[in-house]
Amino acid sequence: MDKKRKEIIDKSAMIFLRHGIRSVTMDDLARELGMSKKTIYNHFKDKDELVIQIVTTLIERNQVACEVGRAKSETAIDAMMSISEFSTRLFTEIHSSVFYDLQKYYPEAWNIIKQYRLSFISDQITQNIIRGQEEGLYNAELDPKIMAGIHLSIVSMLTDSNVFEVGTNEYGALLEEIVLFQLRGIVNDKGRKLMSKYMKNNK
């Protein structure tokens, strides 16, 4: 990727996540980036394209973090907690209006996020549950695909203001609670002890 294009994506992502997308104009963005609007438009057709590229880039990084976390993990529980760590850090930076802006004003970018959840994230959770069952840490009677669907359903509620009243910088803490809640529901006694150990070490 072109160095300047990458710089615009990275810096714009931070600005949008912290202040919202709709409220930040291209003039605001150019001023914050310390460059002209012409420079931005030389790399992106419009704000919609920039938002789509930001979403795509963040998804790619999340995917890499998931794969690295899984590869380095000792157990399924360790993998689940490691995988959620990147998302939790990212979500901590998110302004309360970002998800609303994406759904209402940037449907193409929002559809990319939804598709990512239904494909990659769903598969990651399914495989994690299968692994945990094989390791004797998760309840053996659980259906991995059904549990993955339940996980995605709960996570999708995170962006619904009618379910959770989330303030700026609170999404990370909420996501962490969701992951821990779901882990507690699928581990057996052996897994519960290991989970407590991981949580104690992380603290």
Side-chain angles (χ1 to χ4, degrees):
M1 181 185 294
D2 177 83
K3 185 177 179 181
K4 178 59 69 173
R5 183 178 174 87
K6 182 178 183 300
E7 177 189 353
I8 294 172
I9 289 173
D10 290 344
K11 292 183 177 180
S12 297
M14 294 176 62
I15 294 168
F16 286 147
L17 291 177
R18 290 176 179 171
H19 302 288
I21 303 173
R22 184 72 171 176
S23 63
V24 178
T25 67
M26 294 300 275
D27 286 313
D28 295 332
L29 198 60
R31 185 170 54 255
E32 289 290 328
L33 296 179
M35 62 182 68
S36 67
K37 279 201 301 182
K38 182 180 178 180
T39 299
I40 299 176
Y41 285 125
N42 282 339
H43 294 274
F44 302 94
K45 180 178 66 176
D46 51 29
K47 188 176 180 182
D48 282 38
E49 183 187 355
L50 175 56
V51 171
I52 288 171
Q53 288 303 310
I54 289 172
V55 166
T56 301
T57 299
L58 292 178
I59 282 176
E60 289 172 351
R61 291 175 184 172
N62 182 265
Q63 184 169 337
V64 171
C66 287
E67 292 171 346
V68 171
R70 184 183 68 249
K72 290 184 175 181
S73 61
E74 297 178 354
T75 67
I77 294 174
D78 182 27
M80 182 69 83
M81 297 181 77
S82 296
I83 287 171
S84 69
E85 192 173 321
F86 176 88
S87 296
T88 298
R89 288 199 304 269
L90 176 63
F91 273 48
T92 299
E93 300 293 326
I94 293 181
H95 189 275
S96 58
S97 68
V98 168
F99 291 119
Y100 175 82
D101 289 347
L102 284 169
Q103 293 176 72
K104 186 171 179 63
Y105 301 110
Y106 304 94
E108 187 174 348
W110 183 246
N111 283 333
I112 292 172
I113 294 174
K114 290 196 297 182
Q115 185 57 44
Y116 179 66
R117 286 177 181 172
L118 293 173
S119 55
F120 182 79
I121 297 299
S122 177
D123 181 66
Q124 288 290 298
I125 298 168
T126 300
Q127 294 305 315
N128 179 270
I129 294 173
I130 291 173
R131 175 183 174 181
Q133 290 173 329
E134 292 174 347
E135 292 173 345
L137 300 173
Y138 295 168
N139 291 320
E141 66 272 15
L142 296 176
D143 184 306
K145 289 187 176 181
I146 291 177
M147 296 310 300
I150 292 173
H151 173 86
L152 290 178
S153 296
I154 295 177
V155 170
S156 68
M157 293 180 189
L158 186 149
T159 61
D160 187 343
S161 60
N162 293 317
V163 178
F164 294 112
E165 292 185 8
V166 185
T168 299
N169 300 329
E170 293 180 355
Y171 282 108
L174 178 56
L175 179 61
E176 184 177 16
E177 287 297 321
I178 288 174
V179 172
L180 292 177
F181 169 77
Q182 295 186 306
L183 264 177
R184 292 187 184 102
I186 64 178
V187 295
N188 55 24
D189 289 340
K190 179 182 176 182
R192 192 170 293 108
K193 291 178 182 178
L194 188 59
M195 182 180 169
S196 297
K197 179 182 177 181
Y198 282 136
M199 290 177 65
K200 183 177 180 181
N201 290 339
N202 287 340
K203 288 182 180 180

